[in-house]
């Protein structure tokens, strides 16, 4: 069985066990009971990533070198697609993205609309992103593929990419699909705003130096 088939089987198995997945969200244990966005934002800075997933407080440690390296390279290939458009931004976390009254997320990399305002917008002014990119690790894979993915798509995110550096592929989720597109070659994408692009994944992953 090839690596691609193994990844597809892993995804299928995760989707068949959603209830179990919901009951045990991967990530570091929350240090205290946090159930609202206000409580989350009141936490002191500790250099960790704090998110609230439909009222579930999740804490993630600082990312590994390889995680940041792939995000930097993805930023480089996505940036020309956004260009100098005033209505869109390509951004990265830390970022407080509000998906609902009980959900605040910190996507690794994302494209979002920005309001037409004379003053600089706050994070509350930024709507749900159009594109979200998350790089998985052993501690976040279940959450990224499960609850977080469902929250993003329910909020209107058009494209949600899960980057698996070990398998050298991207799981591409789109609105209306109950299974991802598994891409390990050329990824061609487009958004409703007219931005689009093409990524050659083999050459992208070839440039990653960090080891698992």
């Amino acid at each position: 069985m090839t690596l691609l088939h193994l990844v597809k089987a892993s995804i299928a198995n995760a989707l068949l066990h959603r209830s179990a997945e919901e009951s045990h969200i991967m990530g570091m244990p929350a240090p205290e009971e946090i159930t609202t966005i206000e409580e989350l934002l009141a936490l002191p800075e500790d250099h960790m990533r704090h998110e609230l997933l439909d009222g579930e407080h999740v804490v993630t440690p600082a990312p590994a070198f390889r995680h940041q390296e792939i995000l930097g390279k993805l930023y480089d290939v996505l940036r020309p697609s956004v260009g100098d458009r005033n209505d869109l931004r390509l951004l990265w976390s830390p970022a407080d993205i509000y998906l609902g009254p009980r959900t605040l997320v910190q996507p690794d990399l994302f494209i979002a609309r920005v309001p037409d305002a004379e003053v600089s917008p706050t994070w509350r002014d930024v709507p749900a992103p159009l594109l979200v990119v998350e790089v998985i690790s052993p501690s976040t894979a279940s959450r990224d593929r499960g609850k977080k993915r469902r929250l993003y798509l329910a909020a209107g995110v058009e494209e949600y990419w899960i980057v698996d550096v070990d398998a050298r592929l991207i799981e591409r989720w789109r609105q209306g699909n109950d299974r991802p597109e598994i891409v390990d070659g050329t990824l061609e994408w487009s958004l409703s705003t007219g931005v689009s692009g093409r990524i050659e994944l083999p050459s992208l992953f070839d440039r990653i130096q960090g080891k698992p």
Side-chain angles (χ1 to χ4, degrees):
M1 182 177 289
T2 66
L3 179 58
L4 182 57
H5 286 106
L6 286 172
V7 171
K8 289 182 176 179
S10 175
I11 295 169
N13 183 66
L15 292 171
L16 288 172
H17 294 84
R18 287 181 178 179
S19 61
E21 176 188 271
E22 292 286 347
S23 65
H24 182 67
I25 298 178
M26 296 292 289
M28 294 182 63
E32 57 183 285
E33 187 68 18
I34 300 294
T35 60
T36 69
I37 289 177
E38 290 72 21
E39 291 171 339
L40 189 78
L41 295 177
L43 290 172
E45 176 57 53
D46 60 2
H47 304 293
M48 308 285 273
R49 180 180 296 188
H50 292 261
E51 297 176 294
L52 196 67
L53 307 181
D54 193 23
E56 181 91 29
H57 181 202
V58 176
V59 187
T60 308
F65 174 87
R66 188 175 62 156
H67 180 283
Q68 298 303 83
E69 185 181 27
I70 186 64
L71 284 180
K73 296 188 185 306
L74 281 168
Y75 179 92
D76 289 342
V77 298
L78 290 172
R79 182 67 184 86
S81 300
V82 177
D84 295 325
R85 288 186 53 157
N86 293 325
D87 60 329
L88 298 176
R89 296 290 188 277
L90 172 63
L91 299 170
W92 56 93
S93 284
D96 293 330
I97 301 300
Y98 296 75
L99 298 184
R102 287 163 48 85
T103 300
L104 185 145
V105 291
Q106 300 254 352
D108 285 335
L109 191 66
F110 59 98
I111 295 176
R113 293 186 179 92
V114 292
D116 184 12
E118 295 182 359
V119 297
S120 179
T122 68
W123 286 120
R124 283 190 180 273
D125 300 320
V126 178
L130 301 164
L131 167 69
V132 169
V133 181
E134 296 278 13
V135 178
I136 63 170
S137 65
S139 66
T140 66
S142 177
R143 180 174 71 245
D144 289 340
R145 287 180 171 133
K147 189 168 188 176
K148 186 179 282 190
R149 183 257 308 171
R150 290 192 287 281
L151 289 170
Y152 277 133
L153 295 178
V157 171
E158 295 181 15
E159 298 235 0
Y160 176 48
W161 300 354
I162 300 175
V163 183
D164 189 331
V165 183
D166 291 335
R168 294 170 60 91
L169 56 81
I170 286 179
E171 301 167 25
R172 182 191 188 193
W173 291 87
R174 288 182 282 180
Q175 288 290 330
N177 295 342
D178 58 4
R179 292 290 187 277
E181 175 187 1
I182 307 299
V183 186
D184 61 357
T186 301
L187 173 58
E188 297 184 4
W189 60 277
S190 63
L191 302 175
S192 61
T193 53
V195 298
S196 61
R198 177 187 178 101
I199 306 175
E200 298 296 338
L201 296 183
S203 61
L204 176 73
F205 289 120
D206 283 344
R207 299 199 299 272
I208 303 303
Q209 298 178 352
K211 301 301 180 182

